[in-house]
Amino acid sequence: MKKLIAILISLTIVLGFSTTAFASSEKVNIEKIEFKNPDFIKGMDISSVISLENSGVSFKNFNNEKEDLLKILSDNGVNCIRIRVWNNPFDKDGNGYGGGNNDIDIAVKIAERAAKYKLKLLIDFHYSDFWADPAKQKAPKEWENLTLAQKTEKVKEFTKSSLEKIKAVGGEVAMVQIGNETTNGIAGEYSKDNMAEIYKAGSSAVREFNKDIKIAVHFTNPENTEYIKSLADYLNDYKIDYDVFSTSYYPYWHGSLSNLTEVLNYAAKNYGKYVMVTETSYANTLDDTDGHANTVSQWSNCTGENLLWDFSYQGQADELRAVMSAVNNVDNGKGLGVFYWEGAWISVGDTTGLGVKAYSERLENNKKLWEEFGSGWASSYSKEFDPDDAGKYFGGSAVDNQAFFGADGKALPSLRVFDFVSFGDGEILLGDADGNGKVNILDTTVIQKHISDGYSVNKKAADIDGDKLVTIKDATLIQKYRVKMKVDYPINTDVN
Ligand code: CA
């Protein structure tokens, strides 16, 4: 009887708050995407998080409560976390190169927290000691003078031992990247023959570790349409074993969305590969908040024919939705997902609105934090490894205006895009966990799938009892209602 009363109380609560509306000033409007792939990856790279926290940063949810960044992301529809791994981003005195100082130990710390909230992982091996991109693919210091055969052994060992460490803390690796932005090279190898040996070494290590993990390759510059397509041909010609053909897509530089879909379609149709956007981002303002110039500002990268959106919360959300849609438009459901790049790399000390003296003091303090904790894109210590770029232009975050969190750490309205693309931006129908507009048996099923393997549900709709968790209790409440309490259920639109 007590139990029944508890349920009745719960349902009364339901009656009082059957739908949740957002205050209009806090709202971005996003049309739902009909995902061909029901487990579409709505991912985010947050590799800098530990260094930010060490620098004093904390993150806050929409209620302005301090909370683990990983929980905030999980609660708001992000379902996969990307973590970069450098072999040894430290000088011989132990000073970090910056960019989060992301060695495997840092990756393990993030993985452990992601596991707590059932967030899956993409492990992004750079096979370098610092940033690897189209212009830089320097081998780790320790591998510098090795033969190719010795280097491939090192790639295998490092890949396997890193994945073992992540597994040991409960991290669920869904995907591994063999190299980062390897458009022109990988791990200090630049010929097609030698690059193939590195790819094969990384790939075989992942397969030996766990056959269920998807293997991704990652390129850039999809606007070089024919060249990027030829990389898919190359991988096939060299019989490289992989599952996901992926690219970065930054609309400032990387062509149109229709061209993006075309490039991805090529790998999907000709070689049966899954495809993905590994990195994208968009500025929600042209202002800076940490004293280090941003990649996108009123002086740079803010105009161009493919910048279709305002620099606003709405524009930031629209860009991500559009990129997700372009990936979803790939034929045969081969579009696997999209990762937003460093959506939480905010300021370690807000410089907004400060007078000249206060600004310069705050900036000096920020510089100390970037140097000590590696929370800027590069520290001065990186010059021994990358003297021409990081060693000259080191400093703070160049993307604090592309984050989903303000300089105060609070979640921005644009963060809701991750939920809205799946469930729409309308009022939340309590009980409609799968977002199909009805409360029915499917909702109990997806809640069970969510509990067992982290399947995406609309958490705000699924949390029937309002305890801020999606548990079996919520599924049971929906089920009980369906069977016995049909008439009393206040939020029913279409029970069947
Ligand atoms: Ca900045």
Side-chain angles (χ1 to χ4, degrees):
M1 190 62 195
K2 265 183 186 164
K3 222 174 188 180
L4 182 62
I5 288 167
I7 290 164
L8 284 171
I9 289 168
S10 296
L11 291 176
T12 311
I13 292 167
V14 165
L15 183 62
F17 303 94
S18 61
T19 55
T20 310
F22 302 101
S24 59
S25 61
E26 286 201 356
K27 179 99 193 267
V28 296
N29 295 106
I30 289 294
E31 200 184 325
K32 179 175 166 175
I33 297 175
E34 296 300 333
F35 288 115
K36 295 173 192 168
N37 181 341
D39 238 351
F40 194 86
I41 295 168
K42 299 181 292 178
M44 198 188 289
D45 190 318
I46 48 134
S47 300
S48 61
V49 60
I50 304 283
S51 65
L52 290 169
E53 290 170 347
N54 290 342
S55 303
V57 168
S58 57
F59 294 91
K60 301 182 192 85
N61 62 23
F62 283 109
N63 297 324
N64 215 17
E65 300 155 344
K66 278 188 191 177
E67 213 165 45
D68 187 342
L69 173 66
L70 282 298
K71 180 172 194 310
I72 299 173
L73 297 180
S74 166
D75 282 350
N76 287 284
V78 173
N79 58 14
C80 197
I81 295 295
R82 180 171 183 255
I83 312 173
R84 63 176 162 272
V85 177
W86 290 314
N87 290 50
N88 181 19
F90 296 92
D91 70 11
K92 54 186 173 305
D93 301 319
N95 298 305
Y97 293 167
N101 294 343
N102 278 73
D103 62 1
I104 185 60
D105 294 341
I106 296 282
V108 163
K109 282 183 188 170
I110 301 172
E112 190 168 15
R113 280 161 60 177
K116 206 169 153 189
Y117 305 108
K118 294 200 169 65
L119 288 159
K120 292 177 182 168
L121 302 170
L122 164 54
I123 303 302
D124 166 19
F125 289 112
H126 284 229
Y127 300 125
S128 184
D129 284 343
F130 207 38
W131 300 109
D133 58 35
K136 298 176 203 165
Q137 288 288 340
K138 198 172 169 182
K141 297 181 280 295
E142 197 199 313
W143 301 0
E144 230 166 1
N145 299 315
L146 301 183
T147 63
L148 181 62
Q150 288 169 329
K151 202 189 269 183
T152 58
E153 281 310 307
K154 289 285 183 188
V155 168
K156 280 186 200 169
E157 276 170 35
F158 184 72
T159 305
K160 253 191 179 168
S161 68
S162 298
L163 293 175
E164 291 288 358
K165 287 174 187 169
I166 289 165
K167 187 185 175 186
V169 297
E172 194 190 332
V173 178
M175 201 185 303
V176 169
Q177 251 178 262
I178 308 301
N180 188 75
E181 299 193 333
T182 61
T183 316
N184 303 313
I186 182 168
E189 301 299 333
Y190 304 95
S191 75
K192 285 192 167 178
D193 289 354
N194 289 8
M195 287 173 70
E197 295 307 309
I198 303 290
Y199 285 128
K200 284 179 182 176
S203 169
S204 66
V206 178
R207 291 282 190 244
E208 280 166 31
F209 177 76
N210 180 348
K211 285 192 169 52
D212 295 331
I213 294 176
K214 286 195 172 69
I215 295 171
V217 289
H218 174 206
F219 303 114
T220 57
N221 302 87
E223 79 283 9
N224 295 335
T225 314
E226 294 314 310
Y227 181 66
I228 300 305
K229 285 180 179 175
S230 80
L231 292 174
D233 301 335
Y234 156 69
L235 294 165
N236 184 65
D237 292 346
Y238 278 76
K239 298 188 169 49
I240 288 156
D241 176 21
Y242 76 102
D243 307 297
V244 186
F245 185 91
S246 83
T247 180
S248 295
Y249 178 77
Y250 293 103
Y252 321 106
W253 315 297
H254 288 164
S256 70
L257 288 164
S258 58
N259 180 71
L260 171 67
T261 303
E262 185 193 327
V263 167
L264 297 179
N265 241 335
Y266 183 83
K269 281 167 101 167
N270 290 291
Y271 302 114
K273 299 300 179 184
Y274 288 107
V275 294
M276 185 174 81
V277 165
T278 340
E279 294 183 13
T280 190
S281 67
Y282 203 72
N284 57 47
T285 171
L286 295 177
D287 295 337
D288 169 59
T289 60
D290 73 346
H292 180 84
N294 291 335
T295 309
V296 180
S297 72
Q298 55 181 305
W299 299 281
S300 62
N301 298 311
C302 69
T303 57
E305 61 182 334
N306 296 304
L307 304 187
L308 308 174
W309 313 275
D310 295 336
F311 296 115
S312 64
Y313 301 142
Q314 181 67 52
Q316 182 186 22
D318 282 340
E319 190 267 352
L320 181 53
R321 185 201 180 277
V323 176
M324 286 182 178
S325 185
V327 173
N328 189 51
N329 285 342
V330 169
D331 292 349
N332 305 323
K334 291 290 186 183
L336 207 56
V338 173
F339 285 84
Y340 195 91
W341 192 70
E342 284 281 9
W345 202 344
I346 59 173
S347 172
V348 297
D350 192 1
T351 54
T352 309
L354 298 179
V356 176
K357 186 162 177 281
Y359 180 95
S360 102
E361 281 170 8
R362 178 68 52 83
L363 179 56
E364 282 313 303
N365 194 54
N366 287 354
K367 284 179 181 173
K368 278 183 199 148
L369 295 170
W370 299 332
E371 288 286 286
E372 184 174 356
F373 300 110
S375 46
W377 85 273
S379 76
S380 66
Y381 307 111
S382 65
K383 67 177 173 288
E384 68 161 35
F385 190 75
D386 181 12
D388 298 329
D389 185 18
K392 278 185 186 155
Y393 307 111
F394 58 87
S397 173
V399 292
D400 47 292
N401 61 337
Q402 306 199 43
F404 287 102
F405 295 83
D408 58 357
K410 192 180 174 218
L412 297 175
S414 43
L415 179 63
R416 297 199 195 273
V417 63
F418 290 90
D419 259 343
F420 287 173
V421 288
S422 294
F423 308 115
D425 63 3
E427 292 188 328
I428 290 164
L429 174 60
L430 208 53
D432 183 19
D434 66 354
N436 73 349
K438 301 172 186 175
V439 178
N440 59 25
I441 185 72
L442 292 173
D443 298 305
T444 58
T445 310
V446 296
I447 289 174
Q448 281 156 0
K449 276 185 81 176
H450 172 75
I451 293 163
S452 64
D453 71 358
Y455 188 87
S456 288
V457 296
N458 187 345
K459 293 190 179 174
K460 291 164 201 76
D463 179 20
I464 309 292
D465 61 3
D467 67 352
K468 296 187 175 178
L469 300 166
V470 178
T471 63
I472 199 69
K473 210 170 134 195
D474 298 306
T476 308
L477 281 169
I478 294 174
Q479 192 71 342
K480 284 203 168 163
Y481 158 65
R482 287 187 56 253
V483 178
K484 292 175 185 165
M485 308 177 78
K486 230 173 215 180
V487 183
D488 298 332
Y489 200 80
I491 58 170
N492 169 37
T493 54
D494 186 6
V495 175
N496 48 46

